[in-house]
Amino acid sequence: MTTAVPLIYSFPEFSGVAEAVADHIVAAQNHALYGDYNRKKSLSDTNIASQFSGAAESMRLTKSVSEHHSASGNGTNTPSSSREQRKKKKEENRRFRIGLSGGSLISVLREGLLKRQDVEWSKWDVYFADERLVPFDSPESNYGKAKSQIFDNIPPEKGYPNIFPIDENLLNDPQECADTYEKTLIKGFASKDSVKLPMFDLILLGCAPDGHVASLFPNHETLRESYAWCAPVLNAPSGPPTRITLTVPVICHSHRVMFVVEGATKAPVISTIMERPDKGLPASIINEKAAGRIAWFVDDDAVKDVVGITKKRYKFLVHSE
Ligand SMILES: O=C(O)[C@H](O)[C@@H](O)[C@H](O)[C@H](O)COP(=O)(O)O
């Protein structure tokens, strides 16, 4: 049995998963932008509140934009402005930084997010937890799929997120593609201060039947990467063979990590993840290393083989008007 006890929310239906996932994402969005998961209500449930805390974490400083010689030069400050104005401006400029995986997660997000009125799309910075090195118009492209299924369907009046796909010119050079994506992350997360690791507000992951998460495959050397933020993957055992992926330290440094897993085909792997962490599946590694900041959103079929864990009923966090 896993030593870390993750929150596991289980639902009888697909639509239940999608709605709860969307609610949890909007709660994370509100926390990132306003310091409160529900803009109308103050935090009263300390358990839930603690899921969204973690900002007071100390970081060893090693990476910065200047390290990669790509300073944006966009640091204009008005020295005479009052503290209040600076505070207001800071609040207005806050971004919700999210990392997306591919696979069925995209349909869950489409189903759950597009019908909500409280998604502040124009304040989102969307990165990819992994990407397959295929053209954006391929059905295998995570960016292409997310764009066509979700982002292109956002009503124009709702605004549009900043989206950070890989460089499509580097599909034949996985190392360069990963290095370039790391520079994109450095610009987004370390433009002002050097940081050892980027801190996403939320990373969303699926899990394949073989236990791979993002493009971290079982027993693959990328699982041991401890310095790079983004790593190339060659010879992936399933799907497109070349990919890039965020590394384990980056995923585990996120404020929140959500797994979204559905279907009876996932039942054996979920049982292994929860009951045999010693097998070292990528999902188990993340489950252990990001303990306390992980939530699983699953349907009943996916967890039917797991015994001895507590499945929770999801309590909606964001109250509608
Ligand atoms: O690009 C990828 O391969 C995905 O990011 C991958 O990690 C995905 O999340 C799982 O394979 C689960 O996919 P399904 O939900 O479609 O099974």
Side-chain angles (χ1 to χ4, degrees), residues 241-264:
T242 52
R243 297 153 178 252
I244 63 159
T245 186
L246 298 186
T247 55
V248 171
V250 170
I251 293 173
C252 294
H253 196 63
S254 176
H255 273 299
R256 296 293 312 147
V257 180
M258 277 171 81
F259 280 97
V260 182
V261 186
E262 294 178 281

PDB file of all heavy atoms in Angstrom, residues 241-264:
ATOM      1  N   PRO A 241       7.165   7.998 -31.069  1.00  0.00           N
ATOM      2  CA  PRO A 241       8.369   7.603 -30.325  1.00  0.00           C
ATOM      3  C   PRO A 241       9.195   8.749 -29.756  1.00  0.00           C
ATOM      4  O   PRO A 241       9.880   8.577 -28.749  1.00  0.00           O
ATOM      5  CB  PRO A 241       9.196   6.825 -31.360  1.00  0.00           C
ATOM      6  CG  PRO A 241       8.665   7.266 -32.703  1.00  0.00           C
ATOM      7  CD  PRO A 241       7.239   7.669 -32.492  1.00  0.00           C
ATOM      8  N   THR A 242       9.138   9.934 -30.387  1.00  0.00           N
ATOM      9  CA  THR A 242       9.944  11.023 -29.835  1.00  0.00           C
ATOM     10  C   THR A 242       9.024  12.063 -29.207  1.00  0.00           C
ATOM     11  O   THR A 242       7.985  12.419 -29.760  1.00  0.00           O
ATOM     12  CB  THR A 242      10.826  11.696 -30.903  1.00  0.00           C
ATOM     13  OG1 THR A 242      10.012  12.070 -32.008  1.00  0.00           O
ATOM     14  CG2 THR A 242      11.924  10.768 -31.380  1.00  0.00           C
ATOM     15  N   ARG A 243       9.455  12.534 -28.060  1.00  0.00           N
ATOM     16  CA  ARG A 243       8.619  13.435 -27.257  1.00  0.00           C
ATOM     17  C   ARG A 243       9.510  14.340 -26.405  1.00  0.00           C
ATOM     18  O   ARG A 243      10.725  14.101 -26.304  1.00  0.00           O
ATOM     19  CB  ARG A 243       7.748  12.610 -26.284  1.00  0.00           C
ATOM     20  CG  ARG A 243       6.771  11.675 -26.952  1.00  0.00           C
ATOM     21  CD  ARG A 243       6.489  10.510 -26.006  1.00  0.00           C
ATOM     22  NE  ARG A 243       5.505   9.587 -26.573  1.00  0.00           N
ATOM     23  CZ  ARG A 243       4.242   9.465 -26.137  1.00  0.00           C
ATOM     24  NH1 ARG A 243       3.813  10.160 -25.109  1.00  0.00           N
ATOM     25  NH2 ARG A 243       3.412   8.606 -26.701  1.00  0.00           N
ATOM     26  N   ILE A 244       8.898  15.299 -25.754  1.00  0.00           N
ATOM     27  CA  ILE A 244       9.576  15.965 -24.643  1.00  0.00           C
ATOM     28  C   ILE A 244       8.649  15.872 -23.439  1.00  0.00           C
ATOM     29  O   ILE A 244       7.438  15.692 -23.584  1.00  0.00           O
ATOM     30  CB  ILE A 244       9.917  17.443 -24.932  1.00  0.00           C
ATOM     31  CG1 ILE A 244       8.658  18.272 -25.158  1.00  0.00           C
ATOM     32  CG2 ILE A 244      10.894  17.563 -26.085  1.00  0.00           C
ATOM     33  CD1 ILE A 244       8.875  19.746 -24.948  1.00  0.00           C
ATOM     34  N   THR A 245       9.244  15.999 -22.265  1.00  0.00           N
ATOM     35  CA  THR A 245       8.425  15.893 -21.052  1.00  0.00           C
ATOM     36  C   THR A 245       8.971  16.774 -19.944  1.00  0.00           C
ATOM     37  O   THR A 245      10.196  16.990 -19.864  1.00  0.00           O
ATOM     38  CB  THR A 245       8.365  14.433 -20.555  1.00  0.00           C
ATOM     39  OG1 THR A 245       7.448  14.334 -19.456  1.00  0.00           O
ATOM     40  CG2 THR A 245       9.731  13.918 -20.090  1.00  0.00           C
ATOM     41  N   LEU A 246       8.097  17.304 -19.107  1.00  0.00           N
ATOM     42  CA  LEU A 246       8.563  17.905 -17.860  1.00  0.00           C
ATOM     43  C   LEU A 246       9.132  16.780 -17.014  1.00  0.00           C
ATOM     44  O   LEU A 246       8.693  15.634 -17.096  1.00  0.00           O
ATOM     45  CB  LEU A 246       7.414  18.591 -17.107  1.00  0.00           C
ATOM     46  CG  LEU A 246       6.718  19.754 -17.811  1.00  0.00           C
ATOM     47  CD1 LEU A 246       5.713  20.423 -16.865  1.00  0.00           C
ATOM     48  CD2 LEU A 246       7.716  20.783 -18.330  1.00  0.00           C
ATOM     49  N   THR A 247      10.103  17.123 -16.191  1.00  0.00           N
ATOM     50  CA  THR A 247      10.755  16.092 -15.389  1.00  0.00           C
ATOM     51  C   THR A 247      10.045  15.919 -14.037  1.00  0.00           C
ATOM     52  O   THR A 247       9.234  16.765 -13.637  1.00  0.00           O
ATOM     53  CB  THR A 247      12.231  16.461 -15.170  1.00  0.00           C
ATOM     54  OG1 THR A 247      12.283  17.767 -14.590  1.00  0.00           O
ATOM     55  CG2 THR A 247      12.997  16.450 -16.489  1.00  0.00           C
ATOM     56  N   VAL A 248      10.405  14.847 -13.344  1.00  0.00           N
ATOM     57  CA  VAL A 248       9.758  14.550 -12.047  1.00  0.00           C
ATOM     58  C   VAL A 248       9.898  15.720 -11.067  1.00  0.00           C
ATOM     59  O   VAL A 248       8.903  16.129 -10.448  1.00  0.00           O
ATOM     60  CB  VAL A 248      10.325  13.241 -11.441  1.00  0.00           C
ATOM     61  CG1 VAL A 248       9.834  13.043 -10.007  1.00  0.00           C
ATOM     62  CG2 VAL A 248       9.957  12.049 -12.308  1.00  0.00           C
ATOM     63  N   PRO A 249      11.107  16.319 -10.909  1.00  0.00           N
ATOM     64  CA  PRO A 249      11.196  17.416  -9.921  1.00  0.00           C
ATOM     65  C   PRO A 249      10.265  18.579 -10.257  1.00  0.00           C
ATOM     66  O   PRO A 249       9.704  19.201  -9.353  1.00  0.00           O
ATOM     67  CB  PRO A 249      12.668  17.857 -10.013  1.00  0.00           C
ATOM     68  CG  PRO A 249      13.391  16.682 -10.573  1.00  0.00           C
ATOM     69  CD  PRO A 249      12.426  15.981 -11.482  1.00  0.00           C
ATOM     70  N   VAL A 250      10.097  18.875 -11.545  1.00  0.00           N
ATOM     71  CA  VAL A 250       9.219  19.988 -11.920  1.00  0.00           C
ATOM     72  C   VAL A 250       7.771  19.649 -11.591  1.00  0.00           C
ATOM     73  O   VAL A 250       7.041  20.451 -10.989  1.00  0.00           O
ATOM     74  CB  VAL A 250       9.371  20.311 -13.430  1.00  0.00           C
ATOM     75  CG1 VAL A 250       8.303  21.299 -13.878  1.00  0.00           C
ATOM     76  CG2 VAL A 250      10.761  20.862 -13.713  1.00  0.00           C
ATOM     77  N   ILE A 251       7.348  18.477 -11.973  1.00  0.00           N
ATOM     78  CA  ILE A 251       5.953  18.087 -11.703  1.00  0.00           C
ATOM     79  C   ILE A 251       5.691  18.109 -10.194  1.00  0.00           C
ATOM     80  O   ILE A 251       4.682  18.634  -9.726  1.00  0.00           O
ATOM     81  CB  ILE A 251       5.644  16.706 -12.311  1.00  0.00           C
ATOM     82  CG1 ILE A 251       5.682  16.802 -13.845  1.00  0.00           C
ATOM     83  CG2 ILE A 251       4.285  16.178 -11.835  1.00  0.00           C
ATOM     84  CD1 ILE A 251       5.551  15.484 -14.571  1.00  0.00           C
ATOM     85  N   CYS A 252       6.641  17.581  -9.447  1.00  0.00           N
ATOM     86  CA  CYS A 252       6.417  17.466  -8.000  1.00  0.00           C
ATOM     87  C   CYS A 252       6.566  18.794  -7.266  1.00  0.00           C
ATOM     88  O   CYS A 252       6.251  18.894  -6.088  1.00  0.00           O
ATOM     89  CB  CYS A 252       7.358  16.417  -7.408  1.00  0.00           C
ATOM     90  SG  CYS A 252       6.957  14.777  -8.024  1.00  0.00           S
ATOM     91  N   HIS A 253       7.055  19.826  -7.962  1.00  0.00           N
ATOM     92  CA  HIS A 253       7.204  21.141  -7.336  1.00  0.00           C
ATOM     93  C   HIS A 253       5.947  22.002  -7.532  1.00  0.00           C
ATOM     94  O   HIS A 253       5.837  23.097  -6.962  1.00  0.00           O
ATOM     95  CB  HIS A 253       8.419  21.843  -7.954  1.00  0.00           C
ATOM     96  CG  HIS A 253       8.916  23.007  -7.153  1.00  0.00           C
ATOM     97  ND1 HIS A 253       9.413  22.890  -5.872  1.00  0.00           N
ATOM     98  CD2 HIS A 253       8.993  24.329  -7.441  1.00  0.00           C
ATOM     99  CE1 HIS A 253       9.770  24.070  -5.417  1.00  0.00           C
ATOM    100  NE2 HIS A 253       9.515  24.968  -6.349  1.00  0.00           N
ATOM    101  N   SER A 254       5.009  21.513  -8.333  1.00  0.00           N
ATOM    102  CA  SER A 254       3.793  22.283  -8.600  1.00  0.00           C
ATOM    103  C   SER A 254       2.989  22.462  -7.301  1.00  0.00           C
ATOM    104  O   SER A 254       2.984  21.597  -6.432  1.00  0.00           O
ATOM    105  CB  SER A 254       2.961  21.515  -9.638  1.00  0.00           C
ATOM    106  OG  SER A 254       1.753  22.162  -9.871  1.00  0.00           O
ATOM    107  N   HIS A 255       2.292  23.601  -7.192  1.00  0.00           N
ATOM    108  CA  HIS A 255       1.410  23.801  -6.027  1.00  0.00           C
ATOM    109  C   HIS A 255       0.440  22.647  -5.888  1.00  0.00           C
ATOM    110  O   HIS A 255       0.148  22.189  -4.797  1.00  0.00           O
ATOM    111  CB  HIS A 255       0.557  25.066  -6.217  1.00  0.00           C
ATOM    112  CG  HIS A 255       1.219  26.308  -5.752  1.00  0.00           C
ATOM    113  ND1 HIS A 255       1.611  26.521  -4.461  1.00  0.00           N
ATOM    114  CD2 HIS A 255       1.558  27.430  -6.428  1.00  0.00           C
ATOM    115  CE1 HIS A 255       2.161  27.720  -4.352  1.00  0.00           C
ATOM    116  NE2 HIS A 255       2.141  28.285  -5.542  1.00  0.00           N
ATOM    117  N   ARG A 256      -0.151  22.269  -7.034  1.00  0.00           N
ATOM    118  CA  ARG A 256      -1.122  21.181  -7.038  1.00  0.00           C
ATOM    119  C   ARG A 256      -0.860  20.274  -8.226  1.00  0.00           C
ATOM    120  O   ARG A 256      -0.464  20.745  -9.290  1.00  0.00           O
ATOM    121  CB  ARG A 256      -2.552  21.715  -7.208  1.00  0.00           C
ATOM    122  CG  ARG A 256      -3.058  22.595  -6.100  1.00  0.00           C
ATOM    123  CD  ARG A 256      -3.246  21.856  -4.794  1.00  0.00           C
ATOM    124  NE  ARG A 256      -3.965  20.603  -4.973  1.00  0.00           N
ATOM    125  CZ  ARG A 256      -3.748  19.512  -4.227  1.00  0.00           C
ATOM    126  NH1 ARG A 256      -2.843  19.526  -3.281  1.00  0.00           N
ATOM    127  NH2 ARG A 256      -4.447  18.427  -4.426  1.00  0.00           N
ATOM    128  N   VAL A 257      -1.103  19.000  -8.046  1.00  0.00           N
ATOM    129  CA  VAL A 257      -1.031  18.044  -9.149  1.00  0.00           C
ATOM    130  C   VAL A 257      -2.357  17.276  -9.160  1.00  0.00           C
ATOM    131  O   VAL A 257      -2.798  16.791  -8.106  1.00  0.00           O
ATOM    132  CB  VAL A 257       0.132  17.049  -8.967  1.00  0.00           C
ATOM    133  CG1 VAL A 257       0.182  16.058 -10.119  1.00  0.00           C
ATOM    134  CG2 VAL A 257       1.466  17.782  -8.831  1.00  0.00           C
ATOM    135  N   MET A 258      -2.976  17.227 -10.305  1.00  0.00           N
ATOM    136  CA  MET A 258      -4.234  16.463 -10.420  1.00  0.00           C
ATOM    137  C   MET A 258      -4.042  15.326 -11.401  1.00  0.00           C
ATOM    138  O   MET A 258      -3.560  15.547 -12.516  1.00  0.00           O
ATOM    139  CB  MET A 258      -5.345  17.343 -11.002  1.00  0.00           C
ATOM    140  CG  MET A 258      -6.031  18.219 -10.011  1.00  0.00           C
ATOM    141  SD  MET A 258      -7.120  19.370 -10.897  1.00  0.00           S
ATOM    142  CE  MET A 258      -8.542  18.327 -11.189  1.00  0.00           C
ATOM    143  N   PHE A 259      -4.443  14.145 -11.006  1.00  0.00           N
ATOM    144  CA  PHE A 259      -4.532  13.020 -11.933  1.00  0.00           C
ATOM    145  C   PHE A 259      -5.987  12.853 -12.333  1.00  0.00           C
ATOM    146  O   PHE A 259      -6.877  12.892 -11.470  1.00  0.00           O
ATOM    147  CB  PHE A 259      -4.080  11.721 -11.261  1.00  0.00           C
ATOM    148  CG  PHE A 259      -2.593  11.536 -11.189  1.00  0.00           C
ATOM    149  CD1 PHE A 259      -1.882  11.874 -10.046  1.00  0.00           C
ATOM    150  CD2 PHE A 259      -1.895  11.000 -12.266  1.00  0.00           C
ATOM    151  CE1 PHE A 259      -0.510  11.682  -9.976  1.00  0.00           C
ATOM    152  CE2 PHE A 259      -0.523  10.814 -12.208  1.00  0.00           C
ATOM    153  CZ  PHE A 259       0.170  11.151 -11.056  1.00  0.00           C
ATOM    154  N   VAL A 260      -6.220  12.667 -13.626  1.00  0.00           N
ATOM    155  CA  VAL A 260      -7.580  12.420 -14.116  1.00  0.00           C
ATOM    156  C   VAL A 260      -7.535  11.106 -14.892  1.00  0.00           C
ATOM    157  O   VAL A 260      -6.871  11.016 -15.925  1.00  0.00           O
ATOM    158  CB  VAL A 260      -8.043  13.574 -15.031  1.00  0.00           C
ATOM    159  CG1 VAL A 260      -9.471  13.333 -15.498  1.00  0.00           C
ATOM    160  CG2 VAL A 260      -7.940  14.916 -14.311  1.00  0.00           C
ATOM    161  N   VAL A 261      -8.202  10.093 -14.348  1.00  0.00           N
ATOM    162  CA  VAL A 261      -8.073   8.758 -14.933  1.00  0.00           C
ATOM    163  C   VAL A 261      -9.438   8.066 -14.964  1.00  0.00           C
ATOM    164  O   VAL A 261     -10.119   8.004 -13.939  1.00  0.00           O
ATOM    165  CB  VAL A 261      -7.075   7.885 -14.120  1.00  0.00           C
ATOM    166  CG1 VAL A 261      -6.837   6.564 -14.812  1.00  0.00           C
ATOM    167  CG2 VAL A 261      -5.757   8.609 -13.916  1.00  0.00           C
ATOM    168  N   GLU A 262      -9.770   7.560 -16.127  1.00  0.00           N
ATOM    169  CA  GLU A 262     -11.098   6.945 -16.255  1.00  0.00           C
ATOM    170  C   GLU A 262     -11.041   5.617 -16.988  1.00  0.00           C
ATOM    171  O   GLU A 262     -10.191   5.412 -17.868  1.00  0.00           O
ATOM    172  CB  GLU A 262     -12.005   7.863 -17.064  1.00  0.00           C
ATOM    173  CG  GLU A 262     -12.323   9.161 -16.385  1.00  0.00           C
ATOM    174  CD  GLU A 262     -13.173   9.992 -17.304  1.00  0.00           C
ATOM    175  OE1 GLU A 262     -12.599  10.595 -18.215  1.00  0.00           O
ATOM    176  OE2 GLU A 262     -14.389   9.978 -17.119  1.00  0.00           O
ATOM    177  N   GLY A 263     -11.970   4.761 -16.660  1.00  0.00           N
ATOM    178  CA  GLY A 263     -12.200   3.555 -17.449  1.00  0.00           C
ATOM    179  C   GLY A 263     -11.636   2.288 -16.831  1.00  0.00           C
ATOM    180  O   GLY A 263     -10.616   2.299 -16.126  1.00  0.00           O
ATOM    181  N   ALA A 264     -12.320   1.177 -17.106  1.00  0.00           N
ATOM    182  CA  ALA A 264     -11.927  -0.110 -16.539  1.00  0.00           C
ATOM    183  C   ALA A 264     -10.550  -0.556 -17.026  1.00  0.00           C
ATOM    184  O   ALA A 264      -9.845  -1.306 -16.329  1.00  0.00           O
ATOM    185  CB  ALA A 264     -12.977  -1.166 -16.896  1.00  0.00           C
TER     186      ALA A 264
END
